[in-house]
Amino acid sequence: MQTKFFMKGCDNKKMEEMIRLQGITKKYGNNLIIPNLDLTIYDGEFLTLLGPSGCGKTTLLRMIAGLDTPTTGKIYLDDEDVTNKPPYKRDVNMVFQHYALFPHMTVEENIKFGLMMKKVPAEEQKERVAQVLYLTQLEEFRNRRPQQMSGGQQQRVAIARALVNNPKVLLLDEPLGALDYQLRKNLQLELKNLQRGLGLTFIYVTHDQEEALTMSDRIVVMNKGVIEQDDDPDTIYHYPNTRFVAKFIGESNFFESDNETLVIRPEKLNLCPEYEDEAAEKTHPEPGYYGTVVDVVFYGTIDKVFIRLDNSNQTVVAYQYFDDVKRWSPDERVGIWWYAKDEVRVTR
Amino acid sequence: MKNGKLMVAPAMLWLSIFFVIPLLIVVAVSFAGRTPYGQIIFEFTTDNYLRFLEPLYLQIFADTLIVAVITTVATIIMGYPLAYFIARLPKKWQQPGLILVMIPFWINFLIRSYAWVIILRTQGVVNTLLMKLGLIDQPLQMLYNDAAVMLGMIYALLPFMVLPIYVSIEQLDLRLLEAASDLGASPLTAFRKITLPLTMPGIAAGTILVFISSLGMFVVPDVMGGAKSALIGNLIQNQFLAARDWPFGSALSIVLAVMSLVLIILYYRALQSQEGGKADAKDVA
Ligand SMILES: Nc1ncnc2c1ncn2[C@@H]1O[C@H](COP(=O)(O)OP(=O)(O)OP(=O)(O)O)[C@@H](O)[C@H]1O
Ligand SMILES: [Mg+2]
């Protein structure tokens, strides 16, 4: 579990450090936002920051971009100490959560801004702008002003404006939050392909777990400025270190005993009738709990079965696929069993 | 709807009695003639406007324009940094900063102009000080010249520049400057490319206020410029008081008013094309 395979598919490439955050703390006035944080991000990696609102994700990105300075600690970018370097001297670009588009410029001028600052030749500017306009499906809006566009369109301009610079590190603060499902799926794919194709380093913030799980090489789960877990998506999902992580990502059932908590995902819970014949009983482990079905909710590919455990008020949820033997209905008595390999123990 | 109309009725009445009707009277008088003793004769004539084209008056007009342009430019150069400074103060210091800018308004302008005379005249504060310090033997002639007029104008009109610029800088979204910096713009470049264009409406509003006010200014040239300098404002004042030529004075006033109006229209045009990008909206299709 402790072995980390951050970069699936590129294991043979040497993992070079791109960003190192060393003993970072951040205070706003007397508010300690980030108590003490160490994090290394590798070249070509897609790293996602996941955490509840206000946990310090944006603050972290801003410090990497140079828009905020850490109260203590050091930031290294490509082996160079950039802790006190101003943003305009860092080869890092940010897609802002609030877009921050320039209202007096057209979409095209917005996107071109970074290239102009870097004095990229005009020909190349044109090419690169055209490329990102195509990628973000903004070609028809190139001459519009930001305030004449919808939230989703503006968000795509913000992505294009950062992306066009090909920075060493791209910081994306919930870059797809305002988009509809279809467009979001498309852009997820495009961004991922681009990142992988060009070997860019992405630090990505999202509230969408599915997005985090499908796109990332590595996920960092934060809570109140502290890293709760730092692993590849598979490990994060199947082997959460803490209750917080288990709760925050996906649905989880918690079974408390004297000094530990068992976490079991709903799809790992199996149900059987309270009384079975001997032959059937032998086919699976003995039920650890019994209870009564309180509700069955149809979710398309699955049924979510809610069960109140005997001798407690706790309700657990199990996912049942339709190819399972039986469809359950409320008030039925059930036994709940699972395989030992699907148990995850957490201590806090 | 009906109620709304009723509610603005008093204001409309007020405006028409004290603003529109006097204006119409001035327009009427500007096309009237007069007797040698200043009696107005109501006959239609354009003489008053034609008289304005005499070299003497054109010269005064040109002088006025030059003074107005210099005043405007000077107040921009001095006012922008001041407004910027105040807008970037911590919130609790901004209000006191603005009050300091506005305090002079609390004292009658005529009195403030005479205060400048006391400071600048030959036996004035500055000259006395410089002589006591031994820096000069003879008192400097600092009053009654063009420089004194400029000084008075800039002093009088600076707040009109500072306030609108302050408002536009204060409204500027600082996160745009962060974005510019993130995209590689140094603070100076970010100022040129973001702050300046986005605060242009403030500069334009200040320019209109200052330019138009300085066109009509007569107290400053009167008090600080002495007999030598006359601007249109003084000319108009003279026609109404000393020369008792109301028709000519009215014609001059109308010329001034029309010019101001044109400027204001140009201002709104410029503002619209800057803001709306409405012309760009063709491709919405
Ligand atoms: N300039 C500031 N001054 C004071 N407190 C701040 C400032 N910026 C952020 N904070 C505080 O720091 C904490 C972290 O904020 P941050 O914006 O990093 O959260 P976040 O994880 O990005 O949340 P969200 O998911 O809602 O965007 C919050 O409690 C916030 O109130
Ligand atoms: Mg945030």
Side-chain angles (χ1 to χ4, degrees):
Chain A
M1 235 191 300
Q2 281 310 309
T3 38
K4 296 174 181 174
F5 357 67
F6 309 143
M7 300 172 57
K8 288 186 216 157
C10 358
D11 309 63
N12 45 2
K13 211 162 88 184
K14 206 174 142 221
M15 286 199 306
E16 301 213 14
E17 223 174 81
M18 180 51 86
I19 289 181
R20 190 164 81 247
L21 304 175
Q22 210 171 61
I24 299 290
T25 67
K26 180 67 186 174
K27 272 186 185 176
Y28 282 118
N30 284 329
N31 276 355
L32 187 58
I33 306 297
I34 296 179
N36 187 8
L37 189 138
D38 291 287
L39 182 63
T40 303
I41 298 142
Y42 296 92
D43 191 10
E45 192 176 21
F46 193 124
L47 180 119
T48 297
L49 296 176
L50 211 55
S53 189
C55 74
K57 304 179 297 287
T58 300
T59 306
L60 203 58
L61 291 194
R62 286 175 57 84
M63 289 192 290
I64 295 172
L67 299 169
D68 267 328
T69 35
T71 308
T72 62
K74 292 226 172 296
I75 299 174
Y76 296 89
L77 172 65
D78 219 1
D79 284 331
E80 182 195 0
D81 182 354
V82 295
T83 315
N84 293 311
K85 231 180 177 189
Y88 58 94
K89 289 188 180 157
R90 299 188 191 192
D91 192 10
V92 167
N93 286 115
M94 180 137 159
V95 179
F96 290 89
Q97 194 170 10
H98 49 76
Y99 318 149
L101 301 177
F102 305 129
H104 58 303
M105 298 184 193
T106 63
V107 167
E108 194 168 358
E109 289 165 342
N110 263 282
I111 296 174
K112 220 187 258 180
F113 190 85
L115 299 178
M116 273 163 53
M117 291 302 113
K118 291 190 193 66
K119 305 210 162 54
V120 173
E123 276 305 303
E124 192 186 335
Q125 282 188 22
K126 252 191 202 157
E127 254 168 58
R128 281 163 73 171
V129 169
Q131 200 183 342
V132 292
L133 279 173
Y134 171 76
L135 196 75
T136 47
Q137 302 174 31
L138 285 168
E139 282 149 322
E140 54 181 313
F141 304 111
R142 63 196 314 153
N143 292 322
R144 289 241 205 132
R145 306 256 173 155
Q147 56 275 29
Q148 301 167 330
M149 302 171 71
S150 77
Q153 290 161 351
Q154 293 181 30
Q155 192 160 41
R156 281 182 278 153
V157 179
I159 295 174
R161 187 179 67 175
L163 203 55
V164 76
N165 300 295
N166 274 341
K168 278 184 187 157
V169 179
L170 195 61
L171 309 169
L172 302 103
D173 200 350
E174 294 186 40
L176 306 179
L179 305 182
D180 66 59
Y181 183 80
Q182 198 53 49
L183 203 55
R184 188 156 72 223
K185 289 287 153 208
N186 285 347
L187 269 172
Q188 280 176 7
L189 208 65
E190 297 287 2
L191 283 177
K192 183 66 200 173
N193 286 340
L194 201 82
Q195 180 264 336
R196 203 181 282 156
L198 297 176
L200 302 176
T201 308
F202 274 29
I203 305 181
Y204 198 94
V205 170
T206 179
H207 276 135
D208 181 341
Q209 299 175 19
E210 194 184 314
E211 192 167 288
L213 292 170
T214 54
M215 294 176 82
S216 324
D217 297 318
R218 179 154 65 116
I219 296 176
V220 170
V221 183
M222 287 174 64
N223 183 23
K224 296 181 182 149
V226 175
I227 295 180
E228 289 270 335
Q229 190 166 0
D230 170 356
D231 267 313
D232 64 285
D234 211 280
T235 312
I236 291 269
Y237 186 80
H238 291 295
Y239 306 101
N241 279 347
T242 63
R243 276 180 84 98
F244 177 84
V245 175
K247 249 193 198 144
F248 194 74
I249 294 165
E251 270 184 295
S252 286
N253 296 301
F254 297 94
F255 296 96
E256 318 273 353
S257 61
D258 308 334
N259 50 6
E260 60 177 15
T261 303
L262 288 187
V263 182
I264 301 163
R265 295 288 184 193
E267 64 271 24
K268 303 294 188 192
L269 286 187
N270 298 285
L271 306 178
C272 62
E274 188 173 20
Y275 303 107
E276 289 181 296
D277 53 58
E278 248 172 71
E281 237 169 42
K282 286 212 173 94
T283 59
H284 56 78
E286 195 165 323
Y289 291 86
Y290 288 93
T292 311
V293 175
V294 285
D295 204 1
V296 181
V297 182
F298 174 61
Y299 265 81
T301 48
I302 53 163
D303 275 340
K304 286 193 182 180
V305 182
F306 294 88
I307 302 142
R308 186 162 43 245
L309 303 183
D310 295 346
N311 309 322
S312 83
N313 272 331
Q314 198 191 344
T315 303
V316 297
V317 57
Y319 296 168
Q320 299 290 293
Y321 296 88
F322 296 142
D323 53 23
D324 288 348
V325 216
K326 177 173 166 47
R327 287 191 81 169
W328 300 91
S329 43
D331 293 332
E332 273 185 285
R333 297 279 303 155
V334 292
I336 300 169
W337 61 269
W338 59 82
Y339 294 105
K341 68 173 173 61
D342 293 328
E343 301 178 345
V344 177
R345 283 181 173 72
V346 296
T347 45
R348 61 183 175 95
Chain B
M1 203 57 206
K2 226 175 172 181
N3 261 340
K5 272 185 189 150
L6 225 64
M7 272 161 64
V8 296
M12 295 301 276
L13 194 69
W14 175 273
L15 271 179
S16 30
I17 292 178
F18 294 101
F19 182 76
V20 178
I21 293 177
L23 188 68
L24 290 177
I25 293 176
V26 174
V27 172
V29 171
S30 76
F31 287 106
R34 74 188 257 277
T35 65
Y37 303 105
Q39 204 80 39
I40 297 167
I41 312 165
F42 281 100
E43 48 171 15
F44 182 82
T45 166
T46 51
D47 284 356
N48 301 311
Y49 288 94
L50 293 177
R51 199 173 146 205
F52 176 69
L53 298 176
E54 285 171 25
L56 172 66
Y57 299 123
L58 282 181
Q59 183 59 49
I60 291 179
F61 185 64
D63 287 348
T64 308
L65 277 183
I66 290 170
V67 168
V69 168
I70 295 176
T71 305
T72 307
V73 172
T75 49
I76 292 175
I77 292 172
M78 293 164 68
Y80 198 98
L82 180 57
Y84 193 92
F85 173 74
I86 295 173
R88 290 287 176 272
L89 284 174
K91 265 275 171 284
K92 60 172 177 175
W93 291 112
Q94 288 186 18
Q95 212 60 24
L98 286 178
I99 288 174
L100 283 181
V101 172
M102 288 187 293
I103 274 182
F105 287 142
W106 298 353
I107 299 161
N108 182 290
F109 181 52
L110 197 59
I111 294 172
R112 282 185 282 143
S113 301
Y114 279 111
W116 272 110
V117 172
I118 293 173
I119 295 172
L120 296 179
R121 67 183 168 183
T122 38
Q123 316 93 323
V125 182
V126 175
N127 271 321
T128 311
L129 192 71
L130 289 177
M131 299 235 289
K132 284 258 168 70
L133 287 173
L135 292 173
I136 50 171
D137 308 325
Q138 290 288 312
L140 295 173
Q141 182 52 263
M142 288 182 286
L143 271 178
Y144 312 125
N145 52 32
D146 292 345
V149 174
M150 290 307 317
L151 176 77
M153 294 280 231
I154 294 168
Y155 161 76
L157 299 175
L158 188 59
F160 292 109
M161 188 58 85
V162 173
L163 295 179
I165 294 180
Y166 163 82
V167 170
S168 67
I169 295 177
E170 206 267 329
Q171 282 173 353
L172 181 74
D173 185 352
L174 293 180
R175 299 180 303 186
L176 297 179
L177 297 180
E178 291 190 337
S181 181
D182 182 70
L183 290 165
S186 67
L188 197 67
T189 312
F191 177 80
R192 261 191 324 116
K193 297 270 182 185
I194 311 294
T195 308
L196 204 53
L198 286 176
T199 51
M200 221 20 122
I203 299 178
T207 299
I208 292 283
L209 285 175
V210 169
F211 193 78
I212 289 176
S213 305
S214 55
L215 282 184
M217 185 73 90
F218 59 88
V219 173
V220 168
D222 223 30
V223 175
M224 295 173 71
K228 268 184 276 172
S229 58
L231 301 181
I232 285 208
N234 306 85
L235 189 59
I236 294 173
Q237 186 200 17
N238 275 338
Q239 299 314 310
F240 280 101
L241 300 180
R244 292 190 56 76
D245 190 345
W246 284 35
F248 185 45
S250 299
L252 289 172
S253 305
I254 296 296
V255 169
L256 207 56
V258 168
M259 257 186 49
S260 305
L261 200 67
V262 168
L263 276 172
I264 290 173
I265 290 169
L266 286 179
Y267 165 71
Y268 279 110
R269 284 273 167 79
L271 205 63
Q272 255 173 13
S273 69
Q274 208 227 356
E275 250 179 25
K278 299 235 159 58
D280 307 344
K282 294 194 275 311
D283 55 347
V284 176

